[in-house]
Amino acid sequence: MSANKIWQGNTTFILAAAGSAVGLGNIWKFPYMVGSNGGSAFVFIYLICIFAIGFPVMVSEILIGKYGRKSPINSLKKLSVEFNLSSYWKYLGILGAFAGVIILSYYSVFAGMAFSYIFNVFPSGLENPSQYSTNYFTNFSSSPFDLIFWHSLFIILTSLIVGFGVVKGIGRSVNVLMPFLFLFIILVSIYSSFVGDFLSTIYFLFKPDFSVITPQIVISAMGQAFFSLSIGMGAIMAYGAYMPEKQMIGKTVITIIFLDTFVALSAGLAIFPIVFSNPFLAINAGPGLIFETLPVAFYSLPLGSFFSIIFFILISIAALSSSISLLEPFTAWMEEKEKFKRPVLVAVLGISIWFLGLGSIFSFNIWSDLRLFGFNFLELMDYLTNNIMLPLGGLFVAVLVGWLVPEKFLEKNLNLSKYKFKAFYFFLRFVAPVSITLVFLYLVF
Ligand code: TRP
């Protein structure tokens, strides 16, 4: 690999990886999942999954990418040749590349919605803002054309950044975007905590109540942990290939996980105080939570429309720095075949993803009655990726690095103190694979 494909300095990798992790998953999905899954019980399981499964899997992914210095698929190939493993391991990368493309197809639909809400400033003097908001969302989501417009815009932006390549496109944009994002989210959550019901939010998010934990909550929390950390499909592995040689993986992962968790919890602190202090807003509103209820909440608050605009800009930026990592593995893999140039590949991929995304758009309107295995198209894509493909990818990564790659190789490349390495190795070999397998067994039986 040539030197111009390595990010310069330690911060670009951290910002790129945190930019991938922090996205709609934190700001849009985390709050509504918490709201619909019993609050603190979900938060508790989610945090356990982040540390017990997320940490070892993310370290392993970066390790493979950094060692291979290629797309996930070819890094896996290189690893299996080096250690005499089956050549089938490259299919782990292929599974991931496809998972990324499928996720991006519906991710883009919601990112597009967030985009459009930047311009959704409520007219003043409304008598019933919550009714206005619900009507607005219903009208918006029942119009395929509006959704297609914003979906297209988002796919084009994502493709442009990825088309410019990892150093210029991704490296530069995250350096600018991420610091803004953190500043904004802190601002909005402080604002909400002052004007809304802070105390109820703290109880809801953190007051322990283990009696409400159900298998369904565990499955959803694990899927959400994978999704939020961007692990299980090779996104972080692809970025690992651009990590500077001297950068320490363990420390870096701790920083990324901290930032991701911080933003998810901040999003909770930004949204719930407003929901709790407004009798019209329902905590379990589902995927529409931020779209249907937040504008209402902001409407009734001083400087509301200003903060609403900031909030949706914030979400759009976060979504963009995540979506590029969903497209990168497939692109990098195709680029290595050296048949076509990156911009051409990205264009073809972008158009295919755009088409797939139409299925999710139609789930809101013309296909709303269509059911496949009991799900609508959008739910099926979501379930297939978050609850099956990502955990499966994570399980294979843990087995590969924990059981098939020699311990010496890990010790050498991770450079941890003896005690820390032992703890990491235990979680990688036992805790992560066993917990993922248990959840799968429950799903099957
Ligand atoms: N983690 C991002 C979010 O929270 C979404 C994302 C980006 C992702 N890349 C990924 C999810 C790879 C799974 C796998 O919004």
Side-chain angles (χ1 to χ4, degrees):
M1 158 159 305
S2 59
N4 66 3
K5 279 219 171 175
I6 305 281
W7 283 320
Q8 300 304 307
N10 287 352
T11 48
T12 301
F13 179 83
I14 292 180
L15 290 177
S20 164
V22 176
L24 293 180
N26 306 60
I27 301 169
W28 157 75
K29 199 161 195 191
F30 179 77
Y32 93 69
M33 298 278 276
V34 173
S36 317
N37 284 294
S40 57
F42 180 91
V43 175
F44 178 71
I45 307 279
Y46 173 79
L47 291 177
I48 292 181
C49 291
I50 290 281
F51 293 105
I53 304 175
F55 181 79
V57 170
M58 191 184 272
V59 167
S60 308
E61 275 201 33
I62 296 179
L63 188 82
I64 298 172
K66 192 180 175 197
Y67 160 80
R69 295 280 182 218
K70 288 202 162 93
S71 72
I73 292 153
N74 285 313
S75 292
L76 284 164
K77 239 191 220 167
K78 188 170 158 188
L79 193 80
S80 52
V81 170
E82 165 89 29
F83 297 113
N84 268 324
L85 308 172
S86 154
S87 62
Y88 283 118
W89 280 103
K90 73 166 189 237
Y91 287 102
L92 170 59
I94 296 178
L95 174 87
F98 278 96
V101 162
I102 300 173
I103 294 175
L104 183 53
S105 77
Y106 65 82
Y107 199 83
S108 165
V109 174
F110 289 99
M113 283 188 190
F115 242 163
S116 84
Y117 265 61
I118 296 172
F119 308 97
N120 175 19
V121 173
F122 281 20
S124 54
L126 288 176
E127 259 180 36
N128 192 342
S130 52
Q131 193 180 8
Y132 177 87
S133 179
T134 314
N135 287 346
Y136 185 94
F137 186 75
T138 311
N139 284 341
F140 181 54
S141 54
S142 58
S143 153
F145 291 107
D146 284 348
L147 294 178
I148 290 173
F149 173 80
W150 294 102
H151 166 61
S152 313
L153 191 70
F154 190 78
I155 292 277
I156 292 171
L157 279 176
T158 302
S159 307
L160 278 177
I161 299 181
V162 178
F164 275 114
V166 279
V167 174
K168 280 196 205 133
I170 299 175
R172 257 189 226 158
S173 18
V174 293
N175 268 307
V176 182
L177 297 178
M178 291 307 290
F180 265 114
L181 175 64
F182 290 118
L183 198 73
F184 275 168
I185 191 82
I186 293 171
L187 215 70
V188 178
S189 56
I190 293 175
Y191 172 80
S192 296
S193 302
F194 272 106
V195 298
D197 189 347
F198 181 66
L199 213 62
S200 303
T201 302
I202 295 298
Y203 277 138
F204 182 64
L205 289 179
F206 302 115
K207 189 171 174 246
D209 180 5
F210 304 124
S211 64
V212 295
I213 295 177
T214 62
Q216 196 48 50
I217 289 184
V218 177
I219 294 168
S220 316
M222 187 178 84
Q224 173 64 14
F226 273 91
F227 184 78
S228 189
L229 289 178
S230 300
I231 52 175
M233 61 131 309
I236 296 292
M237 202 187 288
Y239 280 8
Y242 314 126
M243 187 187 211
E245 195 57 47
K246 291 214 183 74
Q247 194 161 5
M248 301 279 276
I249 298 178
K251 260 192 212 155
T252 308
V253 170
I254 289 177
T255 313
I256 298 164
I257 288 185
F258 171 79
L259 291 174
D260 189 70
T261 309
F262 178 80
V263 175
L265 295 175
S266 304
L269 290 178
I271 286 161
F272 290 127
I274 294 174
V275 178
F276 281 127
S277 65
N278 188 323
F280 284 114
L281 306 181
I283 201 83
N284 56 356
L289 182 70
I290 65 169
F291 296 109
E292 279 186 272
T293 65
L294 263 185
V296 183
F298 283 126
Y299 184 81
S300 59
L301 302 172
L303 289 180
S305 55
F306 172 70
F307 274 95
S308 172
I309 291 172
I310 290 199
F311 204 86
F312 284 105
I313 291 180
L314 170 77
I315 297 170
S316 306
I317 294 172
L320 202 54
S321 63
S322 299
S323 63
I324 52 186
S325 76
L326 288 164
L327 191 52
E328 179 60 23
F330 211 118
T331 309
W333 173 39
M334 287 291 145
E335 196 183 19
E336 281 161 1
K337 293 189 183 280
E338 294 188 344
K339 289 218 184 79
F340 298 99
K341 293 255 176 269
R342 182 173 265 261
V344 179
L345 294 167
V346 170
V348 174
L349 269 176
I351 292 169
S352 322
I353 295 165
W354 182 85
F355 269 107
L356 192 60
L358 295 184
S360 297
I361 288 180
F362 295 155
S363 306
F364 284 101
N365 35 71
I366 55 182
W367 285 358
S368 59
D369 292 331
L370 184 78
R371 286 288 175 280
L372 306 150
F373 310 105
F375 298 106
N376 69 27
F377 188 87
L378 169 66
E379 289 162 351
L380 184 68
M381 294 298 111
D382 182 69
Y383 190 83
L384 193 69
T385 49
N386 284 11
N387 294 349
I388 297 178
M389 291 171 98
L390 299 181
L392 202 62
L395 176 62
F396 282 129
V397 167
V399 170
L400 173 64
V401 177
W403 292 91
L404 301 175
V405 168
E407 190 175 347
K408 284 241 159 40
F409 173 83
L410 298 186
E411 271 177 312
K412 187 172 136 252
N413 282 284
L414 289 177
N415 220 340
L416 295 171
S417 68
K418 198 171 165 202
Y419 159 76
K420 280 186 192 154
F421 181 79
K422 284 263 177 295
F424 159 77
Y425 208 44
F426 176 73
F427 275 87
L428 178 65
R429 285 168 70 100
F430 300 102
V431 180
V434 170
S435 2
I436 301 171
T437 308
L438 284 178
V439 173
F440 272 135
L441 287 179
Y442 176 82
L443 277 181
V444 176
F445 295 110

